[in-house]
Amino acid sequence: MGYNDFNKGKKKKGNLKNLLRIIAFFCIITLIYWVSNLYLKIESIEITGNQNIKTEIIEEKLSYLKEKNLLTIRPRIIEKSLLDSLPLEEAKISVKFPNTVLVKIKERNITAALPFNSDFLLLDVMGNVIKIDSDIKNYSVPIITGITVKQAEIGRIPIFQEEEGVFSSTFEVLKGILPILNQIVEIHAEKADEGTNFFIYTVDGIRICFNQNRLKQNNLRNLPNILEDIRKNSRGRGEIDLNQDIPVFRPY
């Protein structure tokens, strides 16, 4: 056997070994994949932290995970999908081997109630429905009146008869009065020729009124100080007009 023949034979053996290594590698990968699919299929989803959003609603949002391989899920993507579809402040996804997904959530705070048929829609600061309840005595939040709801669904902004613009304006105002929200019992909104008229009632009988387009923003920001001054000086019940350059208080 010549030198060239010897090298060719050696090269063939080397190629065969490399081929066998590749085949063995793919066999191992296939075996791992098969075993993981057999033993790491998601069988249960454990949800904690929810009080107002029913567990079944969250489970429905995550139903596509069932039977998937636990190693293939992407927690960040699942968290984002929950935050996009439900009124949640926070969502954390983790896994518990061999086949459980753990979901820990934090719901948004309830900031207002809106009448709907014989019930109330409990809403977050963005106007999304967190809960539907017939009894709101346990919630210290203002009731929004003057708006008729046509349809409502947990996790979404309600559908209205014709006051969608009024509703949007109401929640812009609500965000502006968050520091005194616990002092407010009712926010009444009425569609006007221009913008929306608001009548806000406090727990001690003071009415705050303004038009959305004529409101002086500084007046709304200064509302906590205005109310404090009225109470400090024992001016009693009355109406605060925020449409003026300087707020005007008119006793009843």
Side-chain angles (χ1 to χ4, degrees):
M1 181 184 293
Y3 179 75
N4 289 336
D5 292 334
F6 176 78
N7 280 342
K8 285 180 181 179
K10 190 175 181 181
K11 188 175 181 180
K12 284 182 179 178
K13 286 182 180 179
N15 289 340
L16 181 60
K17 285 182 180 179
N18 288 335
L19 180 61
L20 290 174
R21 287 193 188 100
I22 292 172
I23 292 173
F25 173 77
F26 280 108
C27 286
I28 292 170
I29 293 298
T30 302
L31 181 62
I32 291 173
Y33 179 78
W34 180 80
V35 170
S36 66
N37 274 342
L38 182 64
Y39 293 103
L40 297 178
K41 276 187 179 179
I42 297 172
E43 294 181 1
S44 64
I45 298 173
E46 295 181 6
I47 301 166
T48 58
N50 58 312
Q51 295 180 349
N52 299 312
I53 303 174
K54 291 182 179 178
T55 297
E56 299 80 50
I57 293 174
I58 303 171
E59 286 177 336
E60 183 182 350
K61 299 290 183 182
L62 300 175
S63 59
Y64 67 93
L65 293 176
K66 289 291 183 70
E67 300 296 314
K68 281 185 176 291
N69 187 320
L70 198 67
L71 297 176
T72 65
I73 68 170
R74 299 291 181 266
R76 292 288 180 85
I77 294 175
I78 300 170
E79 290 166 3
K80 185 177 185 305
S81 70
L82 286 176
L83 293 173
D84 288 344
S85 60
L86 293 171
L88 302 177
E89 184 176 322
E90 190 176 81
K92 293 292 182 184
I93 303 296
S94 58
V95 299
K96 182 170 72 174
F97 289 99
N99 43 35
T100 302
V101 174
L102 304 176
V103 184
K104 185 177 181 180
I105 67 169
K106 183 179 180 182
E107 297 175 347
R108 295 178 190 164
N109 292 328
I110 295 171
T111 57
L114 180 64
F116 175 53
N117 296 330
S118 59
D119 296 319
F120 288 91
L121 305 179
L122 298 171
L123 311 171
D124 67 11
V125 73
M126 304 301 294
N128 297 293
V129 179
I130 292 180
K131 186 178 182 180
I132 301 176
D133 203 333
S134 60
D135 185 2
I136 61 168
K137 66 176 181 294
N138 294 323
Y139 304 94
S140 298
V141 295
I143 297 174
I144 298 173
T145 59
I147 299 176
T148 305
V149 178
K150 182 178 179 182
Q151 185 178 333
E153 180 182 347
I154 298 289
R156 299 185 180 277
I157 291 176
I159 298 174
F160 305 95
Q161 296 284 11
E162 54 185 32
E163 301 100 338
E164 185 173 346
V166 174
F167 182 80
S168 299
S169 302
T170 300
F171 271 81
E172 286 303 314
V173 168
L174 188 143
K175 291 172 191 174
I177 61 173
L178 281 177
I180 58 167
L181 205 60
N182 62 342
Q183 302 176 35
I184 306 301
V185 293
E186 181 183 351
I187 301 173
H188 182 76
E190 292 180 359
K191 187 176 181 180
D193 293 337
E194 293 185 7
T196 304
N197 289 330
F198 286 99
F199 304 90
I200 300 175
Y201 299 86
T202 69
V203 292
D204 51 352
I206 296 174
R207 184 169 81 162
I208 304 149
C209 61
F210 56 87
N211 177 274
Q212 169 197 1
N213 291 345
R214 302 205 309 273
L215 171 68
K216 310 300 179 182
Q217 289 299 325
N218 284 336
N219 289 346
L220 193 62
R221 283 192 289 269
N222 290 329
L223 190 53
N225 296 330
I226 297 168
L227 288 170
E228 183 181 359
D229 180 72
I230 291 171
R231 292 163 182 153
K232 184 178 179 180
N233 291 285
S234 302
R235 298 187 182 181
R237 300 172 64 184
E239 179 181 274
I240 304 172
D241 184 352
L242 297 183
N243 286 332
Q244 312 303 318
D245 291 333
I246 298 176
V248 175
F249 177 71
R250 305 182 184 95
Y252 291 146

